[in-house]
PDB file of all heavy atoms in Angstrom:
ATOM      1  N   LEU A  33     -31.721  57.336  22.815  1.00 98.00           N
ATOM      2  CA  LEU A  33     -30.260  57.526  22.766  1.00 98.00           C
ATOM      3  C   LEU A  33     -29.905  58.930  23.264  1.00 98.00           C
ATOM      4  O   LEU A  33     -30.772  59.806  23.369  1.00 98.00           O
ATOM      5  CB  LEU A  33     -29.756  57.338  21.338  1.00 98.00           C
ATOM      6  CG  LEU A  33     -30.057  55.985  20.662  1.00 98.00           C
ATOM      7  CD1 LEU A  33     -29.367  55.902  19.311  1.00 98.00           C
ATOM      8  CD2 LEU A  33     -29.647  54.815  21.543  1.00 98.00           C
ATOM      9  N   CYS A  34     -28.617  59.163  23.543  1.00 98.00           N
ATOM     10  CA  CYS A  34     -28.178  60.476  24.019  1.00 98.00           C
ATOM     11  C   CYS A  34     -28.457  61.524  22.939  1.00 98.00           C
ATOM     12  O   CYS A  34     -28.253  61.253  21.746  1.00 98.00           O
ATOM     13  CB  CYS A  34     -26.677  60.484  24.293  1.00 98.00           C
ATOM     14  SG  CYS A  34     -26.103  59.142  25.323  1.00 98.00           S
ATOM     15  N   CYS A  37     -26.446  61.943  19.417  1.00 98.00           N
ATOM     16  CA  CYS A  37     -25.792  60.698  18.980  1.00 98.00           C
ATOM     17  C   CYS A  37     -25.936  60.564  17.465  1.00 98.00           C
ATOM     18  O   CYS A  37     -27.026  60.725  16.909  1.00 98.00           O
ATOM     19  CB  CYS A  37     -26.459  59.504  19.668  1.00 98.00           C
ATOM     20  SG  CYS A  37     -25.816  57.919  19.084  1.00 98.00           S
ATOM     21  N   HIS A  39     -26.077  57.992  15.724  1.00 98.00           N
ATOM     22  CA  HIS A  39     -26.982  56.896  15.342  1.00 98.00           C
ATOM     23  C   HIS A  39     -28.386  57.413  15.003  1.00 98.00           C
ATOM     24  O   HIS A  39     -29.057  56.870  14.130  1.00 98.00           O
ATOM     25  CB  HIS A  39     -27.098  55.866  16.468  1.00 98.00           C
ATOM     26  CG  HIS A  39     -25.810  55.191  16.857  1.00 98.00           C
ATOM     27  ND1 HIS A  39     -24.637  55.335  16.170  1.00 98.00           N
ATOM     28  CD2 HIS A  39     -25.535  54.319  17.882  1.00 98.00           C
ATOM     29  CE1 HIS A  39     -23.682  54.603  16.752  1.00 98.00           C
ATOM     30  NE2 HIS A  39     -24.208  53.982  17.794  1.00 98.00           N
ATOM     31  N   CYS A  68     -25.851  50.324  21.368  1.00 98.00           N
ATOM     32  CA  CYS A  68     -26.729  51.479  21.118  1.00 98.00           C
ATOM     33  C   CYS A  68     -27.172  51.445  19.662  1.00 98.00           C
ATOM     34  O   CYS A  68     -28.334  51.697  19.341  1.00 98.00           O
ATOM     35  CB  CYS A  68     -25.981  52.781  21.409  1.00 98.00           C
ATOM     36  SG  CYS A  68     -25.432  52.960  23.113  1.00 98.00           S
ATOM     37  N   ASN A 140     -18.632  54.150  15.690  1.00 98.00           N
ATOM     38  CA  ASN A 140     -18.189  55.260  16.549  1.00 98.00           C
ATOM     39  C   ASN A 140     -16.860  54.977  17.245  1.00 98.00           C
ATOM     40  O   ASN A 140     -16.391  55.776  18.059  1.00 98.00           O
ATOM     41  CB  ASN A 140     -19.266  55.612  17.597  1.00 98.00           C
ATOM     42  CG  ASN A 140     -19.724  54.396  18.377  1.00 98.00           C
ATOM     43  OD1 ASN A 140     -19.018  53.388  18.417  1.00 98.00           O
ATOM     44  ND2 ASN A 140     -20.889  54.490  18.990  1.00 98.00           N
ATOM     45  N   GLY A 144     -20.321  51.984  22.858  1.00 98.00           N
ATOM     46  CA  GLY A 144     -21.088  53.038  23.527  1.00 98.00           C
ATOM     47  C   GLY A 144     -21.955  52.502  24.651  1.00 98.00           C
ATOM     48  O   GLY A 144     -21.949  53.031  25.765  1.00 98.00           O
ATOM     49  N   LEU A 145     -22.648  51.406  24.391  1.00 98.00           N
ATOM     50  CA  LEU A 145     -23.620  50.898  25.369  1.00 98.00           C
ATOM     51  C   LEU A 145     -22.971  50.501  26.688  1.00 98.00           C
ATOM     52  O   LEU A 145     -23.555  50.654  27.751  1.00 98.00           O
ATOM     53  CB  LEU A 145     -24.388  49.700  24.790  1.00 98.00           C
ATOM     54  CG  LEU A 145     -25.582  49.229  25.612  1.00 98.00           C
ATOM     55  CD1 LEU A 145     -26.729  50.234  25.535  1.00 98.00           C
ATOM     56  CD2 LEU A 145     -26.082  47.882  25.133  1.00 98.00           C
ATOM     57  N   CYS A 218     -20.053  59.125  18.842  1.00 98.00           N
ATOM     58  CA  CYS A 218     -20.677  58.894  20.155  1.00 98.00           C
ATOM     59  C   CYS A 218     -20.410  60.147  20.975  1.00 98.00           C
ATOM     60  O   CYS A 218     -19.271  60.388  21.399  1.00 98.00           O
ATOM     61  CB  CYS A 218     -20.032  57.667  20.818  1.00 98.00           C
ATOM     62  SG  CYS A 218     -20.458  57.471  22.561  1.00 98.00           S
ATOM     63  N   VAL A 219     -21.446  60.972  21.173  1.00 98.00           N
ATOM     64  CA  VAL A 219     -21.228  62.270  21.836  1.00 98.00           C
ATOM     65  C   VAL A 219     -20.883  62.117  23.312  1.00 98.00           C
ATOM     66  O   VAL A 219     -20.290  63.005  23.910  1.00 98.00           O
ATOM     67  CB  VAL A 219     -22.449  63.204  21.680  1.00 98.00           C
ATOM     68  CG1 VAL A 219     -22.588  63.693  20.262  1.00 98.00           C
ATOM     69  CG2 VAL A 219     -23.733  62.535  22.154  1.00 98.00           C
ATOM     70  N   THR A 220     -21.224  60.984  23.898  1.00 98.00           N
ATOM     71  CA  THR A 220     -20.977  60.820  25.332  1.00 98.00           C
ATOM     72  C   THR A 220     -19.552  60.321  25.624  1.00 98.00           C
ATOM     73  O   THR A 220     -18.920  60.771  26.574  1.00 98.00           O
ATOM     74  CB  THR A 220     -22.021  59.858  25.922  1.00 98.00           C
ATOM     75  OG1 THR A 220     -23.301  60.412  25.665  1.00 98.00           O
ATOM     76  CG2 THR A 220     -21.834  59.660  27.414  1.00 98.00           C
ATOM     77  N   PHE A 221     -19.033  59.405  24.781  1.00 97.00           N
ATOM     78  CA  PHE A 221     -17.726  58.815  25.107  1.00 97.00           C
ATOM     79  C   PHE A 221     -16.616  59.070  24.094  1.00 97.00           C
ATOM     80  O   PHE A 221     -15.458  58.782  24.362  1.00 97.00           O
ATOM     81  CB  PHE A 221     -17.873  57.296  25.296  1.00 97.00           C
ATOM     82  CG  PHE A 221     -18.766  56.932  26.433  1.00 97.00           C
ATOM     83  CD1 PHE A 221     -20.011  56.370  26.208  1.00 97.00           C
ATOM     84  CD2 PHE A 221     -18.388  57.187  27.755  1.00 97.00           C
ATOM     85  CE1 PHE A 221     -20.850  56.050  27.254  1.00 97.00           C
ATOM     86  CE2 PHE A 221     -19.219  56.874  28.815  1.00 97.00           C
ATOM     87  CZ  PHE A 221     -20.463  56.309  28.570  1.00 97.00           C
TER      88      PHE A 221
HETATM   89  S1  SF4 B 402     -23.553  56.244  24.626  1.00 53.03           S
HETATM   90 FE1  SF4 B 402     -22.751  57.028  22.684  1.00 53.03          FE
HETATM   91  S2  SF4 B 402     -23.467  55.552  21.123  1.00 53.03           S
HETATM   92 FE2  SF4 B 402     -24.732  55.252  22.965  1.00 53.03          FE
HETATM   93  S3  SF4 B 402     -26.538  56.570  22.668  1.00 53.03           S
HETATM   94 FE3  SF4 B 402     -25.030  57.754  23.845  1.00 53.03          FE
HETATM   95  S4  SF4 B 402     -23.908  58.905  22.283  1.00 53.03           S
HETATM   96 FE4  SF4 B 402     -24.958  57.242  21.223  1.00 53.03          FE
END
Side-chain angles (χ1 to χ4, degrees):
L33 302 186
C34 309
C37 175
H39 299 352
C68 298
N140 52 20
L145 190 71
C218 168
V219 289
T220 302
F221 297 110

